[in-house]
Amino acid sequence: MIKRRRFLNFATSGLCGFSMAYLLGSCSEQSPKNVAQSSFINSTNANLDYSGIKTKVLRMGYQSAGDLFRNRRVLEKRLEPLGIKVEWAQFAQGPQLMEGMAGGRVDVGSVGETPPIFAQVAGSDLVYVVGTQRTATTGTSSVIAVPPESPLQKFEDIKGQEVYFQKGSASHYFILRALQSIGLTIKDIKIKSMATIEARGAFLEGRIPVWMTGDPHYAIAEKMGRIRVIKDSVGLDSPGGYYISDRKFAQENPGLLKIIIEELHALDKWADVNRDEVAKLMITEQKLDEDVVARVMSRRSFAGRRGLSPALIAEQQRVADLFFQEGVIPKKINIQDALLPPDLYAAITPSEIMV
């Protein structure tokens, strides 16, 4: 419960939600937990069973924007012969999913690059499972937008404005880097933290001046003619999203993580050549209109997964360091503390995506 409260306060209310005792405690160079994690990583890994599966129930977390992994039911088909049941839990966005994991309600879930950093700062005992490839066009579906009648004509006009997005979500890194690109800082705007699905109605009514959103919410507003984009996230060097796991669950079920990565890898390949089938699933499973789905699919790519290689770890560390340098998080963190042993990743990850 302590971890859960810390993360909820941090991700949704900002740094003021931390108690002084927590801030002082979190600034120590090496906590007992980090020592224990290091001991695990440096143990005799050859004796570990990387095919082991102890659980009979896999609790997967997904976000309200939808999840092809869930819609396609590939995990259920793979795990049913093993006697493993899959349970899915929906969360508004990444910070809420990470809070659910910290509270013991989720084993594995998909989030952007930012939520696990905030969760690690708040003390959650998590590990990265697998990343996501990005392309030159990745980011077209993540936007900073204003109502069509807004007096703001370009992104540079954002200075001093109220900007609505979920703190601790991928939008947090997006806005930070976007502001940097025009010589501004996060202090040059007024952040209003609100989940995208909650802010959508107010934005459509013209009651929110600047909104950070993504598909399908972007596509819905676009269909209604109620959105004008002033910036997308193309080229802002995000490492991409991740699947994250509770550490204890990951250590006890490495064979299950291997299956998850394999099925994700295969699903990406299938989706890339079966885009019409993906669209049909979005219509039936997410209850979206066909024209909304068409807009979403026009911006969506299936670039594939990316293993936790040294290069990807370095990219994620750069993101964490930037949050600390800009004063967004209260302490510097080491992404290595949220990793499994390198030979475990090598054992559960297809070599072709370890780049």
Side-chain angles (χ1 to χ4, degrees):
M1 287 301 296
I2 291 173
K3 290 180 181 177
R4 180 178 178 181
R5 289 173 186 148
R6 284 178 182 166
F7 179 71
L8 187 60
N9 286 339
F10 184 72
T12 62
S13 301
L15 300 183
C16 60
F18 279 94
S19 67
M20 183 58 69
Y22 175 69
L23 284 175
L24 292 173
S26 68
C27 291
S28 60
E29 292 185 1
Q30 190 171 28
S31 66
K33 186 189 76 173
N34 289 339
V35 172
Q37 291 175 0
S38 297
S39 297
F40 175 81
I41 292 173
N42 294 324
S43 63
T44 307
N45 294 326
N47 295 329
L48 296 177
D49 180 8
Y50 291 160
S51 64
I53 300 177
K54 290 187 177 181
T55 190
K56 290 299 180 182
V57 178
L58 169 61
R59 299 172 301 173
M60 296 289 295
Y62 72 103
Q63 298 182 38
S64 60
D67 193 316
L68 181 60
F69 204 23
R70 172 180 176 270
N71 295 345
R72 182 72 173 151
R73 306 284 194 272
V74 290
L75 268 182
E76 287 83 347
K77 296 173 185 176
R78 178 79 179 269
L79 297 179
E80 185 178 358
L82 300 179
I84 300 173
K85 180 182 178 182
V86 182
E87 296 179 351
W88 294 89
Q90 186 183 61
F91 296 87
Q93 283 183 249
Q96 288 86 346
L97 193 155
M98 296 308 306
E99 189 267 336
M101 186 175 290
R105 293 179 284 136
V106 179
D107 300 319
V108 181
S110 174
V111 297
E113 81 289 295
T114 301
I117 291 172
F118 276 60
Q120 189 177 343
V121 170
S124 293
D125 202 5
L126 58 89
V127 293
Y128 292 81
V129 176
V130 69
T132 307
Q133 297 278 3
R134 293 177 67 83
T135 69
T137 60
T138 299
T140 54
S141 63
S142 297
V143 299
I144 301 171
V146 298
E149 66 276 10
S150 171
L152 306 183
Q153 295 302 311
K154 56 186 184 300
F155 181 60
E156 286 76 6
D157 297 332
I158 199 173
K159 186 174 182 179
Q161 296 294 317
E162 291 183 349
V163 182
Y164 284 72
F165 65 91
Q166 172 75 70
K167 283 185 178 180
S169 71
S171 292
H172 215 141
Y173 180 67
F174 176 8
I175 190 66
L176 185 62
R177 287 290 292 114
L179 289 168
Q180 273 194 331
S181 71
I182 58 171
L184 299 179
T185 73
I186 204 84
K187 296 177 182 178
D188 289 312
I189 61 171
K190 301 171 185 175
I191 296 174
K192 299 294 181 181
S193 185
M194 185 180 295
T196 298
I197 195 167
E198 296 173 4
R200 189 176 75 193
F203 179 81
L204 293 175
E205 294 171 3
R207 294 188 284 112
I208 286 179
V210 184
W211 185 39
M212 299 188 68
T213 189
D215 282 328
H217 310 290
Y218 171 21
I220 291 170
E222 195 175 30
K223 175 187 175 181
M224 298 175 65
R226 292 297 305 151
I227 190 168
R228 177 160 52 84
V229 174
I230 59 174
K231 181 74 174 176
D232 63 32
S233 68
V234 174
L236 291 182
D237 65 18
S238 165
Y242 298 91
Y243 271 80
I244 304 294
S245 176
D246 170 76
R247 178 177 290 275
K248 186 174 185 294
F249 181 87
Q251 291 175 350
E252 292 179 347
N253 299 277
L256 193 48
L257 297 186
K258 184 175 188 292
I259 290 173
I260 289 172
I261 296 172
E262 288 173 350
E263 291 301 325
L264 282 168
H265 185 44
L267 181 63
D268 290 328
K269 291 182 176 180
W270 174 87
D272 194 41
V273 296
N274 293 277
R275 297 180 66 87
D276 289 344
E277 293 300 315
V278 174
K280 290 177 183 178
L281 282 171
M282 293 180 68
I283 293 169
T284 58
E285 297 292 331
Q286 295 176 237
K287 312 302 180 186
L288 296 172
D289 294 339
E290 288 188 26
D291 51 353
V292 169
V293 171
R295 293 174 188 272
V296 172
M297 291 300 294
S298 71
R299 293 186 281 262
R300 187 163 184 181
S301 62
F302 300 95
R305 300 296 133 180
R306 186 179 178 190
L308 268 298
S309 64
L312 179 55
I313 295 166
E315 290 178 33
Q316 185 69 357
Q317 185 65 56
R318 172 179 50 76
V319 176
D321 290 345
L322 181 62
F323 275 124
F324 174 66
Q325 291 160 10
E326 295 298 316
V328 178
I329 59 176
K331 67 173 183 177
K332 185 178 176 63
I333 62 168
N334 188 349
I335 298 300
Q336 291 286 345
D337 292 338
L339 297 176
L340 294 165
D343 55 343
L344 192 155
Y345 284 122
I348 66 175
T349 308
S351 58
E352 63 188 276
I353 66 170
M354 193 61 79
V355 295

